[in-house]
Amino acid sequence: MRKGGWAVKIIATLVVLLVLAGCANIRALFLPEEEKKLALETKRPQMKKSEDPYFFRVLTLPDYDTAKEAYDKTAILGIPFRKVAREFKDKATAIRKAQPSEFSVGVRAEVQDLKPGATSRIIESEEGFSILQKTTSAHFERALKLMEKKNDEAALRLIRRDLEINPGNVDAWLALAKMMDEAGDLEETLAAYEKARELDPENPVVSNRYARYLVSQYRYEEAEKVLKAAEELSPEDAGVLLNLASLLVYLNKEPDFASRLIERGSRIDPGRAAWYRLSGVIRKRRELGIAPKSKGVN
């Protein structure tokens, strides 16, 4: 009897385990449709995101209030664009992917002004109101955060990746130049600054940084050319005026021109003590009879 009792217990335990296993399978038959879909979606392989940097998702809405509401959800609340597009599907006149060439001139200008990684922007044009969002990843923004944490190797990889996708990103070229300067790579630093200057020749920030780098490498004549070109394009930029005047005073060249730069700069930004210091150097040299160097001689 004792042996028979143990056998009954073992059989009963096996039966319970089989029943529980069966219940798990039976439960799957009664899952709500939404849970079934979710389970299927998690098993499916993730679709690759489009790597074409020139595609935009476009949600065109009929009036300002509707477009502004959609824009606020993406730009301010941070709701993913696809969810907003789904929410406003009934009100939208168009939901599609497009390239900048497909837009009107006014919208193309706005599209070109979108920076990589920017959330979205509302566009008013003849087509109505649209919300645009680049499909590229924000490699550059992530790289900047890594640079702050001194993770330069990972940041450099992201910057190079961003420039492959967005070769017109001037800020990324400047960041690359800075990193290559710190790495001691003269050729790539110069190439990065030249590219940034080529893309945005009227940007005084680019010219000032490039010129300062050239000066640090004792390439005074090249720095002078960069700053003189920048002064013609940005005659009211105090940084350009100060850098060019400082270089000319340091080289003891063109004191009359340097004085005019100082005078103009002191009117634009009168709070800088550098204007008075540079003027004092020029005046002292004249008092001592120190002749300026001839043009083209460094």
Side-chain angles (χ1 to χ4, degrees), residues 105-118:
V105 176
V107 173
R108 274 204 303 274
E110 292 287 345
V111 169
Q112 289 167 0
D113 192 43
L114 282 172
K115 292 183 178 179

Side-chain angles (χ1 to χ4, degrees), residues 69-87:
E69 184 183 353
Y71 172 74
D72 288 346
K73 285 179 181 293
T74 57
I76 298 174
L77 299 180
I79 299 172
F81 184 87
R82 63 183 181 278
K83 290 187 177 180
V84 174
R86 197 182 305 135
E87 180 184 343

Side-chain angles (χ1 to χ4, degrees), residues 90-101:
D90 294 337
K91 299 177 183 178
T93 56
I95 301 176
R96 64 192 178 94
K97 281 188 177 182
Q99 287 195 359
S101 58

Side-chain angles (χ1 to χ4, degrees), residues 227 238-254 257-263 274-275 278 282 285:
L227 289 171
V240 169
L241 299 177
L242 180 58
N243 285 326
L244 180 53
S246 298
L247 181 59
L248 292 175
V249 170
Y250 175 75
L251 299 174
N252 192 19
K253 291 175 63 175
E254 303 181 62
F257 179 43
S259 294
R260 291 195 297 274
L261 292 171
I262 293 165
E263 183 182 354
W275 306 123
L278 293 171
I282 294 172
R285 282 176 180 162

Side-chain angles (χ1 to χ4, degrees), residues 272-286:
R272 297 198 188 198
W275 306 123
Y276 307 101
R277 178 177 53 79
L278 293 171
S279 294
V281 173
I282 294 172
R283 185 172 60 253
K284 193 67 176 177
R285 282 176 180 162
R286 284 172 175 162

